[in-house]
Amino acid sequence: MKLLAIDTATEACSSALWLDGEIRAHFEIAGREHTQRLLPQVAALLAECGVTYAQLDGVVCGVGPGSFAGVRIGVGFVKGVALALDLPVAGVSSLAMLAQGAVREQGAQQVLSVIDARMGEVYYGAYSCDAQGLAQPLLAETVCAPQEIPAAPAAGTWCAAGTGWGVYEERLRAAANCRIGALAPAALPHARDALPLALPRFSAGQGLGADRLLPVYLRNKVALTLIEQRALRK
């Protein structure tokens, strides 16, 4: 099975290929240049692996939460590829990718994924590693002020991953009310970590039609008003 995964939901731009059990991936910090960088990055990855779009069996997309524009770019790209080639798709949460990255890199068994959502808020999710080594959600993902995240839903040591920890560590630690082991405050979602999470769906024939792929924003508000900005600075 050959699967292409992409993620543009944060300042990172990443793509990865699942080639019958082997993963090849590209990753770069794109800032706000995802539109310019995504297509060349994917083209380079496919060429490096000797794979064409026509050989793909499915496409995986990071669907957020994250940057509104970034999420739309990724979802739009995947929809276009899937519609053109009549391929099934799967959407994977950015927070789940962060947790899977902590499992892969640090052997974490429990992960609190937190992405800086700007405007004084964070995107938050709690995950545990199952017997197959896959990050599974323990709580519904949410967006809230850092001091308002739900407490860690289980005892034991937790890995703290994501940019939210880099900005609000003190408030997050107090609210999580748990023992934090590994801390990865600069971690960003990576497309390679979407592949193991999506693979079971494709193996079970549960890929979606492109028209059913939807972005996950968690909130509808894009920016603060000037009054809200002044209040936040105070």
Side-chain angles (χ1 to χ4, degrees), residues 2 37 41 47 49-50 61 72 74 88 108 110-111 119 144 147 162 164 189 201 212 218 231:
K2 295 178 176 62
R37 298 199 187 189
Q41 185 189 98
C49 298
C61 182
R72 288 196 296 270
Q110 298 186 125
V111 185
M119 300 195 299
C144 61
Q147 64 273 17
R201 290 180 240 173
R212 296 178 60 192
L218 292 188

Side-chain angles (χ1 to χ4, degrees), residues 43-81:
L45 177 63
L46 291 171
E48 176 186 303
C49 298
V51 174
T52 66
Y53 281 106
Q55 292 175 295
L56 296 174
D57 297 298
V59 194
V60 183
C61 182
V63 293
S67 155
F68 280 46
V71 171
R72 288 196 296 270
I73 289 167
V75 171
F77 172 83
V78 169
K79 279 179 174 284
V81 171

